[in-house]
Amino acid sequence: MNVPLLEVENLVVHFPLPRGVGDMAAGRPRRVVRAVNGVSLAVRRGEALGIVGESGCGKSTLGRAMLHLVPATSGHVRLDGRVVAGLDREGLTGLRRRAQIVFQDPHASLDPRQTVRRALAEVLTLHRLCPRDAMGRTVDRLLERVGLSAALGDRRPGSLSGGQCQRVGIARALALNPDILVADECVSALDVSIQAQILNLLLDLQAETGMAIVFISHDLGVVRHLCHRVAIMYLGRLVEEGPAEVVLRDPRHPYTRALIASIPGLGHGPKTAVQGEPSSPIDLPAGCAFHRRCAEAMEVCRGGAPPARQGNAEHGTWCHLPRAGGTTPIAQETGLR
Amino acid sequence: MSGASLAEVARLPRLAIVGGAMILAWIMVALLAPWFAPFDPIEQDLTRTLLPPNLQHWLGTDNYGRDVLSRLIWGARLDLQMGLVAVAITFSIGTVIGAIAGYVGGFLDTLLMRLLDVTISFPFFVLMIAIISVLGSGLAGFYIAVALVGWVSYARIVRARTLVLRQSDFVLAARSLGFRPARILLRHIVPNAIAPAVVFSMSDAVLYILLGSSLSYLGLGVEPPTAEWGVMIAEGQTYIATAWWMTTFPGFAIALLALAFSLFADGLAEVLGTST
């Protein structure tokens, strides 16, 4: 089967801002946050895909739009080749069962009034995945799979640590046996020592179930160890996409190179760290969204349409400055999976 | 509160336990009035009018020779009922409106909130008295007026919490798990949104007890000869110079009941981490 598991095509997600009376009187148009601006990306069966970018670049919105948790302004999301938008209730339930998400803040992602056991049982009951008399054992097994003792089942999120809450969040997603799991910054709120445990847990579960995982992260340094492929995002657009190994060895886009240069331990590459703040997603610059911070910006980058995809089917970049191969000093340092 | 266990009660601050015990004591007094009250609260005995507190009539008698203590005990029934029923009505209506407005949003939210603004823009007491004047005095009129006016505070509180919770990760998680909107609202948002409203309802009960007795005092609530604290104060007013016990003890009773609810509300607020 060559149909990707989940595919987005020209996905656009805009959030209209509230329009004040003053704006209306002055005839100013409604302002819009352009969180995602035409992203095309495919998630393949069983792979680990990283979506990397700094905060505010739209990566979380992209992840949520993939799961139809925020409505797409335009474009398509396809699951097994079938368009997700406009699904009826049954179709939507099918999507929910197959695609799950784990959030950044482990405490906030659990209902504070529900015990762990009740939260997991609720999912199993509503999807009729488990008969009532087997519920206790099924919940215990779920807890065990994420490395929690069954004794924690009667606790509420308030008396669990961040790492434990995140494991519960993973168990809850796992209860539905999803084909795809979106991990939205799922370790950035945790201690470094716990981060590794949670990431290893996700990789173990992936090996066990064969589900695809989309790691959304601001940290290319973490993602490179986990993912087969990475997609780099900047201001609502992809700037580079390709196999993790290739992108790290041979980054084509100035932004990707800046990200790689800022990875601790790899940082003695060429000093191309980006300066300043990204532009506002409300007032996007014309041309390439990155041109204001790009050291190599040319006249063509500053106006007109954003650059088109360059490169081959595997490794693509959206830049006017296609960079011929050639290894950077970073390449030798990256021991990749 | 769902899931309130013994352990949770034990965490209550001491003053809240005192307040809770006082509320329970008043409820017992009200329920057991026929057994507690030494005399009939209504029957007049014109041979024993305006007796000061003595061994037979602990709190004295009023101008019709009725035992003040017995009227106080029977009055607890009405005053407690006015407080609790009024809060139950306003809490329910306000929570439903607030939760729906906050969760559905859009035009419905705007409509309900404008309705709320209109209601709130009238002075509370004036509006209550106006509605009761139209409906006629009595408990039914009181409760209808309370229902029309009192829901606004709860609607505001619950709507504000719902707006926050609607955006929270666990609600998003519930959506991604395929839970229906009604379930998300009822099982996940409302139970988390009502904590501040529960705390508020305790101090609100005080308000309705005072309001109920004030209206009775003004002749717009419960009517004489029914035993009710506000009625008792109104009747005793004429005799305040000669028979202080007729007004002082019902006044004490109102203060004690109000204090009980306030203490309990403060303690609850502390435990639930909200402030009023």
Side-chain angles (χ1 to χ4, degrees), chain A:
Chain A
M1 276 202 294
N2 262 334
V3 182
L5 176 60
L6 188 86
E7 185 184 21
V8 299
E9 191 186 313
N10 283 324
L11 189 75
V12 176
V13 183
H14 289 175
F15 298 109
L17 289 176
R19 192 167 168 221
V21 177
D23 295 332
M24 281 187 221
R28 278 191 288 266
R30 183 182 273 275
R31 300 200 303 164
V32 167
V33 178
R34 298 166 201 278
V36 179
N37 267 317
V39 169
S40 299
L41 187 65
V43 184
R44 300 167 194 167
R45 257 160 255 280
E47 78 167 343
L49 170 69
I51 299 178
V52 181
E54 59 203 317
S55 54
C57 74
K59 56 193 191 297
S60 284
T61 305
L62 174 61
R64 285 160 197 212
M66 279 179 170
L67 304 189
H68 203 50
L69 287 173
V70 293
T73 308
S74 69
H76 294 295
V77 180
R78 292 200 189 87
L79 185 68
D80 280 337
R82 275 202 323 230
V83 176
V84 161
L87 284 184
D88 54 1
R89 184 185 262 186
E90 224 162 88
L92 205 56
T93 309
L95 166 73
R96 296 299 183 225
R97 196 173 292 187
R98 298 188 50 196
Q100 281 300 309
I101 183 165
V102 176
F103 294 97
Q104 173 170 13
D105 183 342
H107 278 108
S109 64
L110 301 174
D111 184 340
R113 303 198 59 81
Q114 259 185 334
T115 63
V116 170
R117 192 169 290 281
R118 262 175 50 209
L120 295 179
E122 184 179 25
V123 179
L124 293 168
T125 312
L126 288 181
H127 286 274
R128 300 199 188 82
L129 293 174
C130 173
R132 192 166 292 261
D133 51 330
M135 191 62 77
R137 264 179 297 130
T138 312
V139 169
D140 286 350
R141 201 167 336 120
L142 269 175
L143 289 174
E144 190 191 320
R145 280 175 75 193
V146 297
L148 288 175
S149 92
L152 290 177
D154 297 314
R155 300 246 202 117
R156 282 168 221 257
S159 59
L160 295 175
S161 71
Q164 287 169 332
C165 281
Q166 201 57 291
R167 285 171 194 267
V168 175
I170 294 169
R172 184 175 59 181
L174 213 58
L176 296 177
N177 265 324
D179 294 329
I180 177 168
L181 182 70
V182 174
D184 184 359
E185 294 272 12
C186 71
V187 295
S188 52
L190 303 173
D191 288 347
V192 177
S193 56
I194 313 288
Q195 288 188 359
Q197 292 177 16
I198 296 289
L199 292 172
N200 282 330
L201 171 67
L202 284 172
L203 292 180
D204 289 347
L205 290 170
Q206 180 175 40
E208 178 192 327
T209 61
M211 65 182 171
I213 300 188
V214 177
F215 286 100
I216 295 174
S217 177
H218 63 273
D219 191 347
L220 189 57
V222 169
V223 164
R224 71 196 169 109
H225 293 299
L226 306 170
C227 295
H228 306 114
R229 288 196 307 136
V230 291
I232 314 288
M233 232 179 134
Y234 186 80
L235 269 189
R237 292 181 192 281
L238 293 186
V239 296
E240 185 151 3
E241 155 202 25
E245 195 183 333
V246 177
V247 170
L248 271 122
R249 179 165 27 91
D250 183 20
R252 303 294 179 89
H253 197 282
Y255 182 63
T256 313
R257 279 185 284 136
L259 281 184
I260 293 172
S262 67
I263 299 174
L266 288 180
H268 44 79
K271 259 286 176 241
T272 46
V274 271
Q275 307 289 318
E277 297 286 313
S279 307
S280 158
I282 300 170
D283 303 303
L284 284 182
C288 172
F290 187 58
H291 78 251
R292 286 182 190 161
R293 295 167 80 191
C294 183
E296 295 163 74
M298 306 172 292
E299 202 45 49
V300 62
C301 306
R302 294 195 175 89
R309 190 180 194 275
Q310 317 242 347
N312 55 36
E314 274 298 301
H315 183 192
T317 177
W318 285 258
C319 183
H320 289 298
L321 190 84
R323 201 149 286 269
T327 48
T328 61
I330 303 161
Q332 292 89 38
E333 312 271 342
T334 48
L336 292 163
R337 153 179 178 170

